Amino acid sequence: MTVEEIVAKIADVMVDVFDVDELDVTEATSADDVDEWDSLSHIRFIITLERLFKIKFLNEEIADLKNVGDLARVIQAKLPA
Amino acid sequence: MLADLDWLEPATDFRVRLKAVRAAIAEGTGDEEQLYALALGRLDLNQLGQLAGAVASYVATDAAPGPLARVRLGVIGSGTLGLIEPAIAASALRHRVIATVVGGDYGSAMQDAIDPQSALRTAGLDLALIALDYRTLGLDRAQPNPGAAVDAAAAMVGAMVDGLAASAAGGVMVATIVPPVEPLFGSFDAVEPGSVAAQVAALNARLADWARDKRIVLVDIARVAAWVGLDRWHDAGQWHSAKLPFDPDLIPLYADVVARTIAAVRGTTRKCLVLDLDNTLWGGIIGDDGVDGIALGQGSAKGEAFLAIQQMALGLRQRGIILAVCSKNDDDVARIPFRDHPDMPLKEAHIASFVANWGDKATNLRAIASALNIGLDSLVFLDDNPVERAQVRRERPLVAVPEVPADPALYPRILLGAGYFEAVAFAQEDRDRADQYRANAERAAFAGTSDMVGYLASLDMVADIRPFDAVNRARIAQLINKSNQFNLTTRRYTEAQVAALEADPAKLTMQVRLTDRFGDNGMISVIVVDRATWEIDTWLMSCRVLGRRMEEAVLAHIAAAARDGGASALTGRYLPSVKNKMVAGHFGKLGFAKVSGEDGKETVWRLDLADYAAPELPMRIVDGS
């Protein structure tokens, strides 16, 4: 799966997790761009992605992510080739 | 299976339906049944959070009380509970409770509980939940002196319970402590009292003692963790990074278990299991396969699976759950296995209402509810046929209809795991209830053969009227919190408040039991009267004994006490609720004159004792005061 495809899937998840009607998500989107993205909804965000992609993140893998692009690349690396 | 709440239907179109409900709430036309309907699906953590938001905005509109019970719940405990709290509020809807959940501050459980001025304790709570983790109770390492560590942990939990109990009159729920996965010795952990596993077990045993003594209401989360497995329950990574006390994937299950306990405290749990017959109680179709052809009993895996379903139903009946049958069959054919199958543990005598015909099940379920004089929201309907389940869900959303797996061997697990019949107490009354409902059906048949006056006289009724006492306190509190229909004021009192009424010389309290030739009806009425004003504060009766002139017997007793107390009149008050329309005219029928209030609204009534003469009644009164 390409990073673009993963970002598109993440965008769908974000609408549900942050409970917003529309969200313009790009690789550069970060927590600063979404009001509803706080520490609690971040946990929901991560576990929703884990469930969707059938992966499990290590804390260290997601501790220093800056934006959705970083996140998509971590997910891409964990997906079976 | 249980971890994923598989007894619930998939939540189709949730977001679209939620949007519609949100819009209705914003326009002031939101209603509680719409919220309930949204909660019936298998919701994930995100959906539970969204629904909790809708509940909060609905509560904020100050809409008039609807059919659901209302609860303000305070939650304290270990770690991050912010994901659990909204999940509880949303799951409570499924159990017909609108919950406003107030969380304590992170890491401040003790301060929140013991400081009377804390934001939590001043939040007007009805109930509280304490959800602690072994890692914050000093039980996270083996101890050379395990007794002391368990004592210290118990003292800590006890202080929280006592603090919260002072501000949450409805009771304090305490979750049992989930033991860790990791063994220290291995199997010997169970033998060595200083092991973490043994200490946690010792603390949980104390919590169970407290629950038996009514100091707390137990929520057995340790058992729930065992259902899904500790290996799956504990998520060490989430504890280290976010202090989530367990795998957040399991929050929907956790929240539902807390919610069903709230329902049990508030008396909104279900009362009756309605069973389909063909391929639900036995394998095959009795009308086609005949009594020799259906699968039931020892000797085949299929027959044993259906036997286990019947044993489950009998087990529920023994704890007071009413059983009914709703089947598409000819009545005489449907009864054949009950009469003639040698391996059939269920007999016709166990079934309080037996409906077998070719009509649709939604209609028949309404007939069953009405024959038993209970609400549709008291029914659980077990049926193997997905078409029937869908029809009932569509036509009778108040009836709980569990999804079932393809294999009938799993029916008991899914039905019992769903928690429809959660209880927080068990009394002799509960043991007897299923028999009482059946005896009632017999009384009804008996009534058909006789005139009313002769019928009542032939019942040999004995009414025992006595003041509240400690022995019956729990049952009195249960009735005060459960009775909706024949309840003049719907004032709810906790068991502690009932104890206070019992000791208060300024109150006339009455509990009434009724026996007749068919059996013991148990406690059927509870009354509280203020001796200073002679106003009737609380008057409720079981609908089981309607038409037995018990109201008049109760009034005669109150009137006699009032005359002894030098009163010249009694005052009655009717406070309307969604469910008590049937008693709007209660005082009028008894000869009271209306003093104030419009019909359908709050009304006040007065009975001049000079004009009152106690009537001749078809029963013997035993005065236990």
Side-chain angles (χ1 to χ4, degrees):
Chain A
M1 213 180 293
T2 67
V3 167
E4 289 71 30
E5 287 166 342
I6 295 173
V7 168
K9 283 180 182 284
I10 292 176
D12 289 342
V13 165
M14 288 174 71
V15 166
D16 198 31
V17 166
F18 302 118
D19 195 12
V20 287
D21 278 340
E22 262 177 75
L23 208 53
D24 189 17
V25 177
T26 68
E27 285 191 43
T29 304
S30 72
D32 294 339
D33 303 318
V34 184
D35 290 344
E36 294 79 7
W37 192 337
D38 59 20
S39 58
L40 276 180
S41 54
H42 180 72
I43 298 169
R44 282 194 286 111
F45 184 32
I46 294 300
I47 64 175
T48 308
L49 291 172
E50 287 182 332
R51 192 175 258 211
L52 177 69
F53 289 105
K54 301 190 171 59
I55 53 172
K56 203 81 185 158
F57 294 110
L58 301 177
N59 284 328
E60 62 195 46
E61 290 172 328
I62 50 174
D64 300 317
L65 300 180
K66 290 187 184 55
N67 55 41
V68 168
D70 283 358
L71 179 61
R73 279 180 285 276
V74 171
I75 292 171
Q76 189 186 39
K78 297 182 87 73
L79 289 175
Chain B
M1 191 166 80
L2 296 185
D4 297 319
L5 285 70
D6 277 352
W7 61 90
L8 300 174
E9 59 200 292
T12 40
D13 300 330
F14 177 79
R15 224 174 144 69
V16 177
R17 293 163 60 211
L18 176 74
K19 237 177 179 170
V21 171
R22 276 180 175 160
I25 291 170
E27 286 163 17
T29 57
D31 86 56
E32 299 184 356
E33 295 297 356
Q34 294 170 339
L35 286 167
Y36 164 75
L38 274 180
L40 295 179
R42 203 180 299 157
L43 306 182
D44 66 23
L45 192 51
N46 295 315
Q47 293 167 327
L48 288 170
Q50 292 160 18
L51 183 52
V55 173
S57 32
Y58 173 74
V59 170
T61 62
D62 279 330
L68 305 196
R70 300 274 182 125
V71 163
R72 268 177 93 77
L73 171 75
V75 176
I76 60 168
S78 310
T80 302
L81 302 172
L83 293 176
I84 296 172
E85 289 153 8
I88 293 173
S91 305
L93 286 175
R94 202 176 277 150
H95 300 275
R96 305 205 47 86
V97 172
I98 296 209
T100 300
V101 181
V102 187
D105 290 329
Y106 178 83
S108 310
M110 184 58 94
Q111 297 91 308
D112 285 339
I114 63 176
D115 175 7
Q117 301 308 320
S118 73
L120 189 79
R121 283 190 51 186
T122 53
L125 302 180
D126 304 302
L127 282 173
L129 169 68
I130 302 176
L132 295 164
D133 189 278
Y134 74 101
R135 286 164 288 209
T136 62
L137 279 168
L139 298 180
D140 54 341
R141 65 203 64 170
Q143 295 287 351
N145 182 356
V150 173
D151 284 346
M156 200 191 305
V157 185
M160 290 183 197
V161 168
D162 293 345
L164 289 175
S167 300
V172 179
M173 303 187 289
V174 181
T176 50
I177 311 303
V178 179
V181 180
E182 300 79 8
L184 182 60
F185 295 97
S187 297
F188 193 71
D189 278 1
V191 183
E192 166 52 45
S195 73
V196 171
Q199 292 180 74
V200 168
L203 181 60
N204 284 342
R206 293 222 198 155
L207 295 178
D209 286 340
W210 294 357
R212 224 170 275 124
D213 295 342
K214 308 282 172 73
R215 183 182 180 191
I216 63 166
V217 170
L218 198 75
V219 188
D220 199 357
I221 295 300
R223 177 93 181 272
V224 174
W227 288 352
V228 304
L230 294 178
D231 186 31
R232 178 161 180 201
W233 184 267
H234 286 293
D235 186 332
Q238 289 286 16
W239 175 258
H240 298 317
S241 68
K243 289 290 169 287
L244 290 182
F246 55 92
D247 184 340
D249 258 355
L250 299 167
I251 288 176
L253 174 64
Y254 182 106
D256 191 81
V257 170
V258 171
R260 62 180 74 158
T261 312
I262 295 171
V265 172
R266 296 308 308 265
T268 61
T269 41
R270 310 254 166 190
K271 298 187 178 109
C272 173
L273 175 61
V274 186
L275 298 154
D276 169 54
L277 296 179
D278 294 328
N279 289 314
T280 298
L281 279 194
W282 52 72
I285 297 173
I286 183 63
D288 294 340
D289 302 323
V291 72
D292 303 326
I294 58 173
L296 178 67
Q298 303 293 343
S300 77
K302 197 172 170 189
E304 289 190 29
F306 287 104
L307 191 59
I309 294 167
Q310 295 203 18
Q311 300 289 10
M312 167 198 74
L314 271 179
L316 285 170
R317 185 178 186 275
Q318 274 158 16
R319 49 153 289 202
I321 305 303
I322 308 158
L323 300 183
V325 160
C326 180
S327 165
K328 280 190 175 158
N329 255 313
D330 288 323
D331 184 84
D332 51 346
V333 174
R335 290 175 191 268
I336 291 172
F338 289 86
R339 291 174 179 170
D340 298 336
H341 197 291
D343 295 326
M344 178 108 177
L346 275 176
K347 306 291 177 206
E348 284 174 280
H350 298 131
I351 308 298
S353 175
F354 196 113
V355 176
N357 60 35
W358 297 98
D360 75 280
K361 294 205 172 182
T363 304
N364 285 335
L365 284 163
R366 189 159 62 189
I368 287 169
S370 121
L372 297 171
N373 207 359
I374 57 181
L376 281 165
D377 58 4
S378 292
L379 303 184
V380 177
F381 178 50
L382 182 66
D383 194 319
D384 67 294
N385 184 335
V387 177
E388 302 288 8
R389 294 200 298 268
Q391 193 248 349
V392 171
R393 284 205 190 103
R394 193 175 55 245
E395 305 286 324
R396 301 280 177 261
L398 294 182
V399 176
V401 185
E403 279 296 284
V404 290
D407 185 353
L410 293 170
Y411 285 12
R413 186 179 307 176
I414 201 85
L415 184 89
L416 298 179
Y420 299 116
F421 306 112
E422 194 76 20
V424 292
F426 185 58
Q428 188 58 43
E429 298 270 347
D430 297 309
R431 289 178 226 267
D432 297 341
R433 186 178 311 117
D435 283 327
Q436 290 165 2
Y437 275 89
R438 181 171 167 75
N440 239 10
E442 285 172 7
R443 280 180 201 105
F446 189 64
T449 65
S450 175
D451 68 293
M452 201 58 200
V453 176
Y455 164 62
L456 288 177
S458 70
L459 282 175
D460 298 333
M461 291 188 284
V462 179
D464 179 301
I465 305 180
R466 59 184 66 219
F468 291 1
D469 52 29
V471 178
N472 293 298
R473 196 182 293 154
R475 176 63 182 159
I476 292 167
Q478 200 182 30
L479 280 173
I480 285 176
N481 288 292
K482 271 189 175 176
S483 300
N484 290 314
Q485 298 182 78
F486 196 122
N487 193 333
L488 272 305
T489 54
T490 323
R491 289 178 176 136
R492 308 297 197 196
Y493 297 118
T494 65
E495 206 173 313
Q497 289 169 311
V498 171
L501 289 168
E502 184 183 308
D504 186 349
K507 304 288 182 203
L508 169 70
T509 62
M510 297 163 56
Q511 49 170 323
V512 186
R513 310 181 75 91
L514 180 68
T515 54
D516 62 35
R517 58 183 292 166
F518 292 104
D520 186 353
N521 293 276
M523 192 183 296
I524 50 93
S525 188
V526 170
I527 297 98
V528 178
V529 185
D530 187 279
R531 286 185 190 274
T533 59
W534 291 101
E535 173 167 337
I536 299 165
D537 172 277
T538 294
W539 185 344
L540 58 90
M541 274 181 44
S542 164
C543 296
R544 289 201 301 261
V545 296
L546 284 181
R548 307 277 285 269
R549 302 187 68 189
M550 284 307 304
E551 305 91 312
E552 293 169 74
V554 166
L555 177 61
H557 189 90
I558 300 173
R563 277 190 181 128
D564 284 351
S568 58
L570 290 175
T571 301
R573 189 178 296 271
Y574 167 69
L575 298 178
S577 74
V578 178
K579 291 192 171 173
N580 74 349
K581 288 187 191 69
M582 66 177 287
V583 288
H586 171 74
F587 287 115
K589 278 183 219 156
L590 288 173
F592 284 62
K594 191 158 77 180
V595 179
S596 65
E598 291 169 44
D599 285 348
K601 303 237 173 77
E602 176 173 349
T603 46
V604 180
W605 304 75
R606 187 172 188 279
L607 179 71
D608 197 334
L609 289 172
D611 300 339
Y612 173 79
E616 196 70 34
L617 291 169
M619 68 194 72
R620 189 161 66 82
I621 306 286
V622 175
D623 188 343
S625 57

